Amino acid sequence: MRLPLRRSTRAGTTSPSRRHRARQAQATRHAVPPTLRRAAVADLTVATENREGYKRTSFKHWADADGDSCNARQEVLIAEAIDPPEADPRCALAGGVWCAGRVPKSM
């Protein structure tokens, strides 16, 4: 999740924006108490795994829907990058920066 940042009065430091802090406070007010969450999870029924009828080949989850040589995974990596990676003609990706949590990660 990307945090909107604003510059503080001290040189080179950043902090979450006022709007982000307001959203966080609102989410905290409406959060489910931990004791209620634990009780709800304890009430869940755990079933035995059933793989009957499942065939991995039935799911084309990395398909190249638009025919540009980039599969769905590569398309998402490009779309969600802060600094997009370079793609060669076969869509092999190199470089790029993504935001993982609060810290941008470089690949």
Side-chain angles (χ1 to χ4, degrees):
M1 178 173 110
R2 284 189 232 174
L3 295 177
L5 297 176
R6 66 175 172 78
R7 290 275 172 203
S8 74
T9 54
R10 289 182 285 170
T13 61
T14 58
S15 63
S17 71
R18 183 175 296 146
R19 186 172 25 170
H20 177 74
R21 285 193 308 272
R23 274 191 246 139
Q24 260 185 334
Q26 182 180 12
T28 302
R29 282 193 303 272
H30 298 294
V32 177
T35 53
L36 187 56
R37 280 196 309 263
R38 280 192 287 273
V41 170
D43 287 343
L44 292 174
T45 303
V46 178
T48 305
E49 182 177 4
N50 180 359
R51 289 185 169 235
E52 190 174 308
Y54 171 80
K55 288 193 299 185
R56 184 179 181 138
T57 56
S58 298
F59 299 92
K60 307 268 189 250
H61 56 278
W62 298 134
D64 178 14
D66 58 7
D68 67 350
S69 299
C70 294
N71 65 33
R73 178 182 177 276
Q74 294 160 324
E75 300 271 4
V76 170
L77 286 172
I78 293 167
E80 294 189 358
I82 295 169
D83 181 18
E86 293 180 21
D88 70 11
R90 295 179 333 156
C91 205
L93 304 179
V97 176
W98 293 266
C99 194
R102 296 180 182 204
V103 181
K105 298 285 183 184
S106 216
M107 300 301 267

